[in-house]
Amino acid sequence: MNKNLFFYVPFLVFCTLGKLFSQTYQLTGNPVNTTGWDVVPSASVNTDFIQLTADQTSQVGGIKLNTPINLKYCDKWRVEFDFRIDGNGTPAYGRGDGLAFWYLANPPASYTSGGGLGIPANATGLMVGFDIFNNTTEAQMSKVHVLYGTNNTAGSNIEFNNTPGSTYHTADLIATQPFTGATYKHVEVTGEVNPTNLNNWIIKIRIDNNLVVDQSFAPSGAAVGMTQGYFGFSASTGAASARHSIKNVKIFTDKVTILQPSVTQQVCPNPTTGLGTVNLTSLNSQFVANPSGYTFTYSVGGNPVANPANYQFNANTTVNVIIKDNSALLCDNPDGSIQLTLGNFSATNRTISACNNNGAPTAVFNLTSANVTAVTGVTKKYFKTLADLNAGINEITNPTAYVSAPGKVYVKVTTPEGCTGNAEITLVFFPLPVVQDAVLESCFIETNTATGLFNLTTANVTSDTGVTKKFYTSFDNALNGTNEIVNPIAYISSNSEVFVKVTAISNCFIIKKITLKVTPPVKSTVLKDKTICINERATLDAGPGFSEYLWSTGATTQSIQGVPAGTYWVRLKTGNCYTLQTASVKVAVNPVISSIDIKNNTATVNVLGGTAPYQFSLNGINWQDSNIFTDLPRGENKFYVKDFYNCTPSEVQITIPNLVNVITPNGDNVNDIIDYTALAYKKNLTFTVYDRYGNMKYEAGKLRNYKWDGTSSGKKLSTGTYWYTITWVENDKNNTPTTYNGWVLLKNRE
């Protein structure tokens, strides 16, 4: 084997420092899965282990991978397995002979029994024997033999092979690490290129983590230059016997994983020399994600590329790439290649999109965002027409902010080598949200019926999903994104308009109007306050046209009947809105007769309170609009009055006194005095006499027994006409004041 040992078949990563990166092949499971392996009798699967031989004499058995492994590019590999050697042995020789792990150039055609540990005669490769029988002394032992060469000793027994630099034999480990027993022993075998001699391998073997072999081996014989072989195990018995078993076999080896095996690079030739120039190292990232962790070497036709950063070629060329893991944990990968071609550069047609916000006829396009080529270092020039591009005129000078309607522009791309290519850039608008103006209606707010509470987010402006909506009080605010309505789900407004900015995932937006309508209170035009007479009941009717009625009494009918005086409310539903309306039922205030003025036999009835117009009556049956009654009889008279509400009338009974128009106080006892003692039963009765100038001449109250004899202050008054007034208060519940005015002719004898 040489320095560049590695597999050509893809395997998982391995790590010789104890961390498991991958396992290429294994013999594990219960029962053991032997897919990919050849089982050679008398070897057989026994539950979770492979029994290579039974505890019988003259047994041989083996198991090997059925495909070869190429180690040309591998610097490290590792094999782990567990082995157990048990059984009773034979009386004469005890247990024998042992088992071997190997990597052989050719698949074994036959296996050797006895001390050969199953290894075929003249086998070539790396062989590791775990020997339990000393063929010289015929005693039990526990030794490890290593051979990196050809097993050509007598009896094919590597115990006796001592090729200088290619073999190693441990001391007898039977006292410290006996190979026989009922317990499995864990073995790790690692191979690593010797950095001081790249043709040699450093082989390390650990048994139960105890290092028993750490030796550099030089290949000998046919093993020199060997790059391909078969991993396997074998065991044998001779005159002695033992059961040889292995399990948990894992072979770790893998090469660097690459992203792709081949990279194509088209290079424009230098117009002067015809040579294409490429920096091969710039393509490393197309093979691995982190090129700094690897070493790349390049060759063409087996010849190394001396200056890969500036490689020149004049024809289509294949460059072979070998990728080495700098950490030396993975085998090199030789499978990469770079296909270099000379040819004209071409750019790719692209389509770019921009926002024509709010349905504008144009949008601002960044032409440089059109990825027309992946080549770095190119220059680009943009033109409105292909004719302009070809003529090199009218170049677009603001390609990062090009204002245009949908259409096409053209770009000329020039590589650092001077190759050019043209591409067409199609300009399209991002789809705008599908939106429309909307109307939102809200019921009035009772405390301010000109306003309503609106949830702006419920406005049916769009059915598109994935959009965002923001609300503003004016179009300009929406356009500029200023003064956003911060609480759109509880927006109080009168009849007005707001604006919604609907933005798509593309960040394009369109603005629409939401008309806000406040539904005003709809009141009943029928429902009125009622005035009733005392002890009466009323009917309140809200009228038709409402979808729901709810009265303060709990009734849900259009009207309520038989309600007494009081204040009532009704909640009326129109559409989705409710209006609360109140109505009062009041008891009518009856009018009262405040006073009655009597002149001769004419009475004028004066009224307070109630509601005009009034009606008057002397008998409660026949009514008149006038408050003046004439030709009244002397004596008791009743007066009735009622108002607009026609309730029980108020009544007053008064007395029309006898009229005395002439007195002659001459002592003849005929008309000597005016006497109103008949009215003495009236309250506050007063009789007052005035001359024609309105001067009071006499007042007769209770003390003067309501009489006048034509004197004033004890003196006789002169003959003439005098006026008098009689006032009293009727003995009714209203204490109606009554006034009687009259005149009298006084004739005194001179």
Side-chain angles (χ1 to χ4, degrees):
M1 301 182 199
N2 64 18
K3 172 183 179 296
N4 293 320
L5 288 173
F6 204 88
F7 295 162
Y8 276 123
V9 292
F11 299 115
L12 300 174
V13 182
F14 75 95
C15 173
T16 60
L17 301 178
K19 182 176 179 181
L20 180 61
F21 283 84
S22 73
Q23 56 192 52
T24 304
Y25 291 108
Q26 58 185 5
L27 285 169
T28 58
N30 189 357
V32 178
N33 182 358
T34 59
T35 302
W37 297 78
D38 292 330
V39 180
V40 180
S42 61
S44 62
V45 175
N46 189 336
T47 63
D48 66 340
F49 64 91
I50 302 293
Q51 180 178 291
L52 296 173
T53 70
D55 186 16
Q56 299 174 9
T57 60
S58 302
Q59 290 271 306
V60 65
I63 185 168
K64 69 175 182 64
L65 285 172
N66 57 22
T67 55
I69 295 177
N70 193 315
L71 299 177
K72 178 179 179 181
Y73 292 97
C74 204
D75 287 341
K76 290 183 179 181
W77 52 269
R78 184 178 70 184
V79 176
E80 293 183 17
F81 61 91
D82 298 332
F83 78 82
R84 179 181 64 188
I85 302 175
D86 60 359
N88 297 318
T90 60
Y93 298 103
R95 297 185 180 93
D97 280 285
L99 58 83
F101 156 70
W102 33 258
Y103 174 71
L104 301 181
N106 297 302
S110 62
Y111 293 84
T112 302
S113 63
L117 307 182
I119 301 173
N122 297 313
T124 296
L126 176 68
M127 290 154 272
V128 179
F130 299 85
D131 196 351
I132 64 172
F133 190 83
N134 191 324
N135 285 284
T136 300
T137 64
E138 296 189 348
Q140 301 291 296
M141 70 176 184
S142 294
K143 276 192 176 184
V144 177
H145 311 298
V146 180
L147 169 62
Y148 188 11
T150 300
N151 184 23
N152 53 7
T153 60
S156 302
N157 193 332
I158 64 173
E159 178 185 356
F160 302 132
N161 195 311
N162 291 294
T163 303
S166 300
T167 60
Y168 178 75
H169 306 280
T170 68
D172 190 353
L173 304 174
I174 194 168
T176 57
Q177 289 181 287
F179 294 167
T180 60
T183 303
Y184 279 92
K185 295 194 173 292
H186 182 68
V187 178
E188 294 182 7
V189 182
T190 61
E192 181 176 358
V193 171
N194 190 333
T196 63
N197 187 339
L198 302 182
N199 291 318
N200 291 5
W201 277 93
I202 297 174
I203 302 297
K204 295 181 181 180
I205 301 175
R206 286 179 170 83
I207 301 177
D208 288 339
N209 208 32
N210 295 306
L211 185 66
V212 298
V213 176
D214 185 358
Q215 182 75 34
S216 178
F217 293 87
S220 62
V224 177
M226 173 184 169
T227 60
Q228 179 172 289
Y230 295 82
F231 279 112
F233 298 85
S234 63
S236 66
T237 64
S241 69
R243 182 173 69 161
H244 300 81
S245 306
I246 60 171
K247 69 176 182 177
N248 296 330
V249 177
K250 300 172 185 176
I251 300 175
F252 298 96
T253 178
D254 203 357
K255 58 187 174 183
V256 172
T257 300
I258 58 178
L259 301 175
Q260 55 186 338
S262 180
V263 173
T264 299
Q265 181 70 28
Q266 188 180 65
V267 179
C268 292
N270 186 302
T272 303
T273 64
L275 293 175
T277 302
V278 63
N279 180 359
L280 299 177
T281 65
S282 68
L283 306 175
N284 293 348
S285 61
Q286 298 189 46
F287 290 105
V288 293
N290 53 335
S292 61
Y294 301 89
T295 298
F296 291 77
T297 57
Y298 312 87
S299 64
V300 176
N303 300 313
V305 175
N307 187 8
N310 189 35
Y311 178 67
Q312 294 184 328
F313 63 102
N314 59 5
N316 294 347
T317 302
T318 299
V319 179
N320 299 111
V321 183
I322 298 174
I323 305 167
K324 178 181 178 61
D325 178 19
N326 292 340
S327 67
L329 297 178
L330 300 174
C331 300
D332 302 345
N333 192 320
D335 299 334
S337 67
I338 301 172
Q339 305 297 326
L340 299 177
T341 60
L342 290 172
N344 291 325
F345 170 78
S346 62
T348 304
N349 293 339
R350 295 295 184 189
T351 298
I352 61 174
S353 302
C355 295
N356 64 319
N357 287 325
N358 213 36
T362 61
V364 179
F365 293 89
N366 181 0
L367 304 182
T368 64
S369 67
N371 185 23
V372 295
T373 179
V375 177
T376 59
V378 299
T379 58
K380 302 174 187 176
K381 294 184 177 182
Y382 302 88
F383 302 87
K384 294 181 180 180
T385 67
L386 187 58
D388 285 349
L389 183 149
N390 291 330
I393 59 175
N394 301 322
E395 180 184 355
I396 295 172
T397 58
N398 59 335
T400 60
Y402 180 61
V403 178
S404 175
K408 297 179 185 295
V409 295
Y410 300 87
V411 57
K412 182 177 183 179
V413 184
T414 304
T415 69
E417 295 77 19
C419 292
T420 61
N422 302 336
E424 180 183 88
I425 302 175
T426 301
L427 309 179
V428 299
F429 291 156
F430 280 117
L432 287 174
V434 179
V435 295
Q436 64 276 330
D437 290 338
V439 175
L440 272 184
E441 295 187 358
S442 173
C443 299
F444 65 92
I445 297 174
E446 288 191 2
T447 55
N448 185 355
T449 58
T451 63
L453 181 65
F454 296 89
N455 182 350
L456 304 181
T457 64
T458 63
N460 184 24
V461 294
T462 182
S463 60
D464 286 3
T465 58
V467 299
T468 58
K469 291 183 281 188
K470 293 185 177 182
F471 302 87
Y472 303 87
T473 55
S474 72
F475 179 87
D476 287 342
N477 281 337
L479 188 62
N480 299 321
T482 56
N483 300 319
E484 180 185 355
I485 295 173
V486 295
N487 190 15
I489 64 173
Y491 181 64
I492 296 176
S493 175
S494 58
N495 290 336
S496 63
E497 294 174 347
V498 295
F499 296 85
V500 57
K501 186 177 189 178
V502 183
T503 305
I505 297 175
S506 62
N507 211 33
C508 300
F509 65 83
I510 193 164
I511 299 170
K512 286 296 178 180
K513 178 176 66 177
I514 302 173
T515 301
L516 305 181
K517 293 184 177 180
V518 178
T519 301
V522 179
K523 291 191 174 184
S524 167
T525 58
V526 174
L527 183 61
K528 305 292 183 183
D529 290 343
K530 291 288 186 71
T531 301
I532 60 174
C533 300
I534 193 168
N535 297 326
E536 286 187 353
R537 297 293 178 115
T539 294
L540 295 177
D541 188 353
F546 300 97
S547 57
E548 286 184 15
Y549 301 83
L550 177 62
W551 294 87
S552 53
T553 63
T556 57
T557 53
Q558 175 180 319
S559 62
I560 53 177
Q561 295 81 32
V563 295
T567 300
Y568 300 86
W569 57 257
V570 61
R571 191 176 70 177
L572 305 171
K573 183 178 182 183
T574 303
N576 293 321
C577 299
Y578 295 88
T579 300
L580 196 67
Q581 188 172 346
T582 60
S584 296
V585 177
K586 301 177 181 178
V587 175
V589 177
N590 275 356
V592 296
I593 298 173
S594 59
S595 65
I596 298 177
D597 296 329
I598 303 172
K599 191 171 184 180
N600 295 324
N601 56 350
T602 296
T604 300
V605 180
N606 300 309
V607 178
L608 287 177
T611 302
Y614 303 104
Q615 287 190 311
F616 304 87
S617 175
L618 291 174
N619 56 14
I621 299 173
N622 300 316
W623 296 88
Q624 64 183 41
D625 295 331
S626 174
N627 64 334
I628 299 174
F629 294 90
T630 60
D631 299 325
L632 296 173
R634 301 298 174 178
E636 296 296 323
N637 285 268
K638 274 189 177 181
F639 296 89
Y640 299 84
V641 63
K642 62 182 180 179
D643 66 0
F644 169 80
Y645 295 108
N646 198 28
C647 296
T648 302
S650 299
E651 62 180 67
V652 172
Q653 180 173 302
I654 64 171
T655 302
I656 304 297
N658 291 325
L659 294 177
V660 178
N661 296 111
V662 177
I663 63 171
T664 56
N666 53 12
D668 61 0
N669 293 324
V670 177
N671 294 330
D672 284 337
I673 62 173
I674 295 176
D675 183 359
Y676 285 110
T677 56
L679 298 176
Y681 68 93
K682 304 290 187 181
K683 288 193 239 179
N684 301 329
L685 179 64
T686 302
F687 169 51
T688 306
V689 179
Y690 302 89
D691 63 16
R692 61 179 178 174
Y693 302 107
N695 298 313
M696 185 179 70
K697 294 300 182 179
Y698 186 83
E699 185 178 73
K702 185 176 182 181
L703 292 177
R704 291 178 176 176
N705 202 23
Y706 313 111
K707 297 178 181 180
W708 181 49
D709 59 359
T711 64
S712 176
S713 300
K715 297 179 180 180
K716 291 183 179 182
L717 292 175
S718 60
T719 299
T721 300
Y722 292 85
W723 284 262
Y724 63 89
T725 299
I726 304 172
T727 63
W728 67 86
V729 174
E730 290 290 346
N731 295 319
D732 57 19
K733 64 180 180 180
N734 295 321
N735 294 318
T736 305
T738 303
T739 301
Y740 174 74
N741 295 302
W743 58 269
V744 63
L745 176 62
L746 173 64
K747 292 182 179 182
N748 265 326
R749 191 177 292 176
E750 300 295 332

